[in-house]
Amino acid sequence: MLMKEYRICMPLTVEEYRIGQLYMISKHSHEQSDRGEGVEVVQNEPYEDPNHGNGQLTEKRVYLNSKLPSWARAVVPKIFYVTEKAWNYYPYTITEYTCSFLPKFSIHIETKYEDNKGSNDSIFDKEAKDLEREVCFIDIASDEIPERYYKESEDPKYFKSQKTGRGQLKEGWRDTHQPIMCSYKLVTVKFEVWGLQTRVEQFVHKVVRDILLIGHRQAFAWVDEWYDMTMDDVREYEKNMHEKTNIKVCNQHSSTVDEIESHAQARVCQFLKRIAHPQLIHLHRSERSNQLILLTSQWNLGEVLLQQEQKLSPGSAILPSLCTVNCHRYMTMDEVREFERATQEATNKKIGIFPPAISISNISMPSSTRSAPSSAPSTPLSTDAPEFLTVPKDRPRKKSAPETLTLPDPAKKTL
């Protein structure tokens, strides 16, 4: 898990940005949608929460395969989308991003808006007081954006609003400009897959930061388009833009959701097999024992399962739990043992049967010795000492000392 807090100041008030935020999101989504990629709006309706009161619930599908780096495209299917759910209780919002065929991946964003220049260091004390996080300030006037998204007409350094007189922001504008507000965003990214976690989480935060910078620049640069709108006006505009955007995105996707997810699961499974490492399997030790047996059998089967799954028993074509969201059903131990047996038979057919490499000889060996490799001497089993260790019987005894000891006579001792 990687958590960061982003603070983005705007030359607006919190009340003004209520309209500007809705306008910017709708227009930005429409502009970024083309040739089957972009944002499809699935749901947009009023929602009431017991704690936060009345708000708006929005659900979207974000198709973005071509915007992924090459190493990420190797993991995901050709038709790849992320589900976005947003609860807008302005000036507090919650946004979640998930992917049905990458269950270990999620993005959680909590946003609060205040009329200040990003000086409230305790704004998320209730949500993340004791959690370690990096605080990142984003300057809509000075920070660079990816070159492909740059437009001079949307650059706050050059843009000046005709209706508000605000604009042409110079370095240090946050210290002197009035009015000023700040979007505080607490962003948590999770991708709990061994070997890819750090890389993916850092990449996602980079993408999130770029999106926040571009979106807030556009919200200010388009201020003359939305400044005179009421809430009813912007909701009507939002509805019309959603319909147009859906037409641009959805016409390219004739496959059903089940087909997309089935294809996605297969692609992710194949990728993980290519980078297989013992610790990937350890991730499932906390799961049910029969699920671990199922995973191990499928891992060994590899492509045989993908090619011959129709020959196996019903319910056997379940992808490894690392890549699967909804299994066909939970197997009993008897069922998983049966699947294991069928899987092993299919694997053996793939490998083939090898003749034994060891032959058995009928030649009898002497009882007193055992055969050994030619490079090692044979070891006798007799209890008699070998000849080179036997002491000759006729060898004379060596006299190393006299047989008797003579002591001097004290009486003969001269004084």
Side-chain angles (χ1 to χ4, degrees), residues 355-396:
I358 302 174
S359 60
I360 300 175
S361 174
N362 293 324
I363 300 175
S364 60
M365 302 297 293
S367 59
S368 61
T369 60
R370 291 179 182 175
S371 63
S374 58
S375 61
S378 60
T379 303
L381 299 181
S382 173
T383 57
D384 297 333
E387 184 178 351
F388 66 90
L389 292 178
T390 304
V391 179
K393 295 181 180 180
D394 57 349
R395 188 177 68 176

Side-chain angles (χ1 to χ4, degrees), residues 22 25 34 109 114 137 147 155 160 171 209 222-223 238 249 258 277 288 350 354 356 377:
L22 298 174
I25 292 174
D34 190 22
I109 303 176
E114 289 188 349
F137 283 87
E147 186 177 353
D155 190 335
K160 185 168 184 177
E171 187 174 353
R209 186 188 182 283
W222 296 338
V223 62
E238 185 181 45
V249 175
D258 290 341
H277 188 284
R288 295 171 51 180
K350 172 88 171 182
F354 294 89

Side-chain angles (χ1 to χ4, degrees), residues 100-263:
S100 60
F101 37 83
L102 291 176
K104 303 291 184 179
F105 170 76
S106 66
I107 306 173
H108 182 85
I109 303 176
E110 294 188 49
T111 307
K112 295 184 179 182
Y113 303 98
E114 289 188 349
D115 285 316
N116 57 49
K117 56 183 180 180
S119 54
N120 189 349
D121 294 329
S122 59
I123 192 168
F124 288 115
D125 276 1
K126 182 179 179 181
E127 292 79 10
K129 182 177 182 180
D130 299 324
L131 297 178
E132 182 180 352
R133 62 186 185 272
E134 178 184 354
V135 177
C136 305
F137 283 87
I138 298 179
D139 191 331
I140 64 170
S142 302
D143 290 355
E144 294 185 359
I145 67 172
E147 186 177 353
R148 64 183 181 276
Y149 295 117
Y150 179 80
K151 295 180 182 178
E152 186 174 336
S153 61
E154 297 174 358
D155 190 335
K157 293 193 299 291
Y158 306 114
F159 168 78
K160 185 168 184 177
S161 169
Q162 300 298 318
K163 294 184 177 180
T164 65
R166 306 168 199 169
Q168 296 181 337
L169 304 178
K170 306 301 180 183
E171 187 174 353
W173 68 272
R174 291 179 297 178
D175 298 325
T176 58
H177 197 283
Q178 288 295 331
I180 190 170
M181 60 157 288
C182 184
S183 299
Y184 295 84
K185 292 184 176 286
L186 186 66
V187 182
T188 304
V189 178
K190 292 183 181 179
F191 189 70
E192 298 173 347
V193 175
W194 183 90
L196 295 173
Q197 180 171 3
T198 300
R199 186 176 189 179
V200 171
E201 289 178 350
Q202 290 176 346
F203 169 76
V204 171
H205 265 288
K206 180 181 182 302
V207 173
V208 168
R209 186 188 182 283
D210 288 344
I211 292 174
L212 294 177
L213 175 57
I214 294 167
H216 285 76
R217 282 165 62 105
Q218 290 177 334
F220 174 60
W222 296 338
V223 62
D224 288 346
E225 300 175 28
W226 57 259
Y227 190 75
D228 294 328
M229 283 185 170
T230 64
M231 182 57 69
D232 291 338
D233 294 335
V234 78
R235 287 298 184 192
E236 183 63 25
Y237 173 83
E238 185 181 45
K239 180 182 176 181
N240 293 334
M241 293 303 290
H242 287 171
E243 292 175 354
K244 294 179 181 179
T245 305
N246 284 356
I247 292 173
K248 292 173 69 175
V249 175
C250 297
N251 284 349
Q252 300 293 326
H253 301 301
S254 57
S255 301
T256 65
V257 173
D258 290 341
E259 290 172 339
I260 294 172
E261 292 189 355
S262 177
H263 177 62

